[in-house]
């Protein structure tokens, strides 16, 4: 790969980092070509983009994308693959499924909406993350609940008061 091709790859990776907002760095070293192709196929089916690149180019791409990626730099050793996805949990779920059949890929790090997760021990946590939409829905539900209770209390209280007024008028 010549200097211009490396530069183009760095720019393409930086664009993907900006576009997706979520990426996972995994170790796929020592896997056969057939196993890597199987991983690529499963990534494609799960709407995940997989890119293999040198660690130095990945680091340059993160620097070009801007943002605080410094904690990730230490894991850029050995062979690295990057998984890009709009879904924060899809790559983690795929890695977990693949690990049922073998010991790779190993999670080195994940960057999810500006949060950094380092190490393979974070895989279970990453599979359980909720999306922004799910969290917003839960917050809206929590905010609506007290308002519904107040409206319900006012409505039931209003009918009680109307009943008392009607009874007083009839007696009166």
């Amino acid at each position: 790969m010549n200097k211009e091709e490396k530069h183009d790859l760095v720019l393409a990776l930086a664009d993907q980092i900006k576009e997706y907002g979520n990426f996972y760095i995994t170790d796929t070293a020592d896997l056969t070509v057939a196993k890597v192709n199987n991983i690529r196929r499963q990534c494609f089916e799960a709407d995940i983009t997989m890119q293999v690149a040198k660690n130095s180019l990945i680091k340059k791409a993160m620097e070009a994308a801007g943002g605080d990626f410094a904690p990730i730099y230490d894991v850029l050793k050995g062979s690295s693959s990057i998984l890009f996805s709009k879904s924060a949990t899809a790559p983690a779920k795929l890695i977990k499924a693949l690990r049922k059949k073998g010991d790779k890929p190993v999670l080195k790090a994940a960057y999810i909406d500006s949060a950094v997760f380092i190490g393979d021990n974070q895989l279970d946590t990453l599979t359980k993350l909720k999306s922004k939409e799910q969290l917003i829905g839960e917050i809206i539900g929590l905010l609506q609940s007290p308002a519904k209770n107040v409206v319900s209390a006012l409505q039931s209280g209003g009918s009680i008061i109307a009943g008392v007024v009607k009874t007083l008028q009839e007696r009166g």
Side-chain angles (χ1 to χ4, degrees):
M1 185 177 276
N2 66 33
K3 197 171 190 173
E4 186 176 322
E5 291 171 329
K6 288 179 183 178
H7 178 72
D8 291 343
L9 178 60
V10 167
L11 292 178
L13 287 173
D15 287 344
Q16 287 178 308
I17 289 169
K18 290 176 193 173
E19 177 188 344
Y20 286 98
N22 304 312
F23 64 88
Y24 286 60
I25 298 177
T26 62
D27 177 3
T28 53
D30 304 325
L31 290 178
T32 64
V33 172
K35 287 183 180 179
V36 170
N37 286 338
N38 180 47
I39 293 170
R40 285 183 188 276
R41 183 180 48 75
Q42 290 186 42
C43 283
F44 178 78
E45 290 169 1
D47 202 24
I48 299 168
T49 303
M50 179 179 175
Q51 179 76 43
V52 177
K54 288 186 170 189
N55 292 317
S56 59
L57 300 179
I58 294 171
K59 183 177 179 182
K60 287 180 181 179
M62 285 190 271
E63 290 169 349
D68 184 18
F69 302 108
I72 298 174
Y73 297 158
D74 290 339
V75 302
L76 293 175
K77 296 178 177 91
S79 177
S80 296
S81 300
I82 304 180
L83 306 177
F84 295 100
S85 176
K86 293 287 184 187
S87 165
T89 59
K93 290 176 182 175
L94 177 64
I95 292 169
K96 198 165 185 176
L98 291 167
R99 295 279 290 279
K100 291 178 181 177
K101 300 174 186 170
D103 60 345
K104 297 261 176 137
V106 173
L107 177 66
K108 291 182 175 186
Y111 184 86
I112 311 296
D113 292 326
S114 76
V116 176
F117 299 84
I118 303 291
D120 196 55
N121 60 338
Q122 299 292 317
L123 196 55
D124 285 334
T125 302
L126 289 164
T127 61
K128 296 173 186 167
L129 286 179
K130 294 184 180 182
S131 70
K132 277 185 184 177
E133 291 78 17
Q134 289 171 319
L135 291 173
I136 290 170
E138 285 181 13
I139 290 170
I140 289 171
L142 290 170
L143 292 173
Q144 284 180 340
S145 181
K148 286 181 183 177
N149 291 340
V150 168
V151 169
S152 176
L154 289 174
Q155 287 175 340
S156 67
S159 63
I160 291 170
I161 293 171
V164 169
V165 169
K166 185 176 180 183
T167 303
L168 290 174
Q169 288 174 343
E170 289 173 355
R171 289 185 183 171

